[in-house]
Amino acid sequence: MTKSRFVQIAKPWIGSLSKYEPGRPIEEVARELGIKDVNRIVKLASNENPLGPSPLAMKAMAEAAGRMHRYPDGSAHYLRQDLAAKLGVGADQIVIGNGSNELLELTARVFLDENTNIVMAERAFVVYRLIAALSRAGVVSVPMKNHTHDLDAMLKAIDSRTKIVFVSNPNNPTGTAVEPAKLDAFVRSVPPSVVVAIDEAYVELMPPEQQPDTLRYVREGAGATVMLFRTFSKIYGLAGLRVGYAVATSDAIELMNRMRQPFNVNAMALEAARAALADDQHVERTRRVVREGLAFYENSFREMGLNYVPSAANFILVETGRGRDTFQALLREGIIVRPMDAYGLPAHVRITVGTGEENKKCVKALKKVLGKAK
Ligand SMILES: *Cc1c(COP(=O)(O)O)cnc(C)c1O
């Protein structure tokens, strides 16, 4: 086959980039199964908040609708002020992004090129690999221990080309968190020529007393080259709006601001994020529902004799034998989960904790497709 003209014009390495495989959208699965009522589909595939957006955020969006002919505040002044007050850092130590994924990509663009590499855990969030590839940087992939980041091995894997080491904590897709003391020792040992990028997309789901105090690295200023990445997509329930943030010393934030588009985050998202940030009740309820849901899955898996990885996040990795087949069979039951072969875990699926009712439906369907129904 002759190459398309566009492919001939394009940079030759683009063709070898792999694409991110997202969770299957509800509407698409409903169309495929010939189901009219999308409410019959249960999506437990993208670690979204089962309770929906914060009610305060919905109200703020309704009120903001009439102002959507205006460009957003490109500096996201008020959201940064609110975050700064909540986190105990300066507003100049925060940058808002179109999801934290945008900020991960900007970080790659700031620090990486073809002469550099990143260090990451083998089964950490796949986006780190993808953004390294976008910058033509190498990826040093470090095996995990018990599905957990092996920080000692990661430290040893850092070489003279390394610019960023990624730690996903808790990690997606394994749900594991590293011990705070180990993380601290790691951060203090990484050479100052390397950025420690700590992805905390799920950190607020941990009981507050168990969350590692990573913000202190930013407060301490000079010394640790730590960047923290957080999001409104998970506990705050705003995945559809795309808003996340990075926290780092102001010199790092300034580099990110040079790289980003002037209006990278939309005005609706900025309003909703501010309201969601103030909704402690919704956050607390979400934490409780997720904790109850995890306990339900763990009990069910034990009952079914399935191995699982204990989770500190809002999803759980379970071994079902042939994960891709389980995923397909559950789809036919109207339950969307995530196959894990892309992560080198062909025997597992990842299930997001849903509402109590959704979790029951999921376990019932899982028993059926695995032939374990009573
Ligand atoms: C979901 C997730 C994110 C958040 O991505 P957004 O772009 O903010 O929606 C970041 N990192 C990890 C590990 C995630 O699982």
Side-chain angles (χ1 to χ4, degrees), residues 34-225:
I35 292 175
K36 292 234 164 59
D37 179 6
V38 290
N39 294 317
R40 284 179 48 210
I41 307 285
V42 175
K43 185 184 178 204
L44 303 173
S46 300
N47 305 340
E48 295 144 343
N49 188 321
L51 302 179
S54 139
L56 298 186
M58 289 198 267
K59 189 159 162 278
M61 285 190 274
E63 284 168 7
R67 298 194 293 275
M68 286 305 119
H69 60 305
R70 301 287 181 202
Y71 278 100
D73 168 10
S75 76
H77 175 83
Y78 291 109
L79 179 55
R80 284 188 306 110
Q81 291 291 330
D82 291 357
L83 280 166
K86 179 151 192 141
L87 304 175
V89 298
D92 62 347
Q93 297 179 317
I94 299 170
V95 58
I96 313 296
N98 200 266
S100 57
N101 271 283
E102 185 199 19
L103 299 171
L104 292 168
E105 185 186 337
L106 287 178
T107 305
R109 290 175 57 195
V110 169
F111 297 105
L112 303 179
D113 63 28
E114 62 279 7
N115 301 312
T116 65
N117 71 35
I118 67 161
V119 169
M120 65 179 280
E122 193 174 17
R123 280 152 197 166
F125 193 37
V126 71
V127 163
Y128 314 144
R129 270 177 217 291
L130 303 181
I131 59 173
L134 281 182
S135 297
R136 313 223 66 205
V139 176
V140 181
S141 207
V142 180
M144 300 173 87
K145 261 191 188 156
N146 279 328
H147 296 289
T148 307
H149 280 62
D150 182 347
L151 295 177
D152 293 332
M154 289 176 71
L155 192 60
K156 289 197 187 104
I158 291 172
D159 64 26
S160 60
R161 295 159 70 95
T162 306
K163 290 283 186 183
I164 309 175
V165 54
F166 283 98
V167 177
S168 173
N169 196 50
N171 181 43
N172 175 16
T174 60
T176 52
V178 293
E179 281 171 37
K182 281 193 182 164
L183 181 62
D184 187 51
F186 175 79
V187 168
R188 310 262 181 218
S189 315
V190 169
S193 54
V194 177
V195 173
V196 185
I198 309 180
D199 185 346
E200 301 190 314
Y202 302 95
V203 80
E204 301 98 337
L205 285 152
M206 299 172 78
E209 68 280 3
Q210 285 174 26
Q211 297 173 16
D213 181 16
T214 45
L215 287 161
R216 83 187 131 143
Y217 303 123
V218 178
R219 289 187 206 114
E220 283 170 12
T225 46

Side-chain angles (χ1 to χ4, degrees), residues 320-338:
T320 62
R322 281 196 293 263
R324 187 58 66 179
D325 292 352
T326 309
F327 158 72
Q328 290 294 355
L330 285 175
L331 264 191
R332 289 190 288 272
E333 301 295 320
I335 313 272
I336 315 175
V337 299
R338 202 70 165 262

